Amino acid sequence: VWRMPLEASYFEGMKSDLADMKNTGPSFGGAITAALFLQKFVQKDVKWAHLDIAGPVWSDKAKSLHNGGGTGCMVRTLTEFVRR
C-alpha cells in the first residue's frame, strides 16, 4: 500500500462543458484521475483510500492464486491493512 500522488494538473482532463466534471480523464493516469474524482466528494478532515481494482478484478483463466472468474483482488491486502 502506498500513497498515490494526486497530481492536481490531471484534473484539467476531467473538466466538462456539460457537468461540474467528468468521472474519467485522459488516457494516462487513470487511477490518479479516479482518486481525484473521489476526492471531490470527501470532506478534507476525513481519511479515505482509493483501491484501484478495476483492471485485476476478473480473470478469464486460472492463475496462481485463483481458478478464474472473480479474483478477489485487494481482499488480502485490505484485510492485512485493517489488521495492522
Side-chain angles (χ1 to χ4, degrees):
V1 176
W2 60 283
R3 185 176 299 274
M4 181 179 293
L6 295 179
E7 181 59 48
S9 66
Y10 283 20
F11 191 76
E12 292 297 314
M14 298 167 58
K15 291 185 176 178
S16 171
D17 294 333
L18 304 174
D20 294 336
M21 63 183 160
K22 300 184 286 187
N23 66 346
T24 59
S27 60
F28 60 89
I32 294 172
T33 56
L36 286 170
F37 177 82
L38 294 173
Q39 184 183 42
K40 298 294 184 184
F41 298 95
V42 180
Q43 294 176 0
K44 291 186 189 232
D45 59 336
V46 173
K47 292 184 179 185
W48 63 281
H50 171 237
L51 302 179
D52 188 39
I53 63 168
V57 75
W58 187 265
S59 178
D60 291 330
K61 52 186 166 183
K63 293 189 179 175
S64 62
L65 295 176
H66 52 82
N67 296 324
T71 65
C73 175
M74 296 301 295
V75 171
R76 289 182 184 162
T77 302
L78 183 57
T79 301
E80 187 61 26
F81 180 76
V82 170
R83 282 184 44 199
R84 293 180 185 187

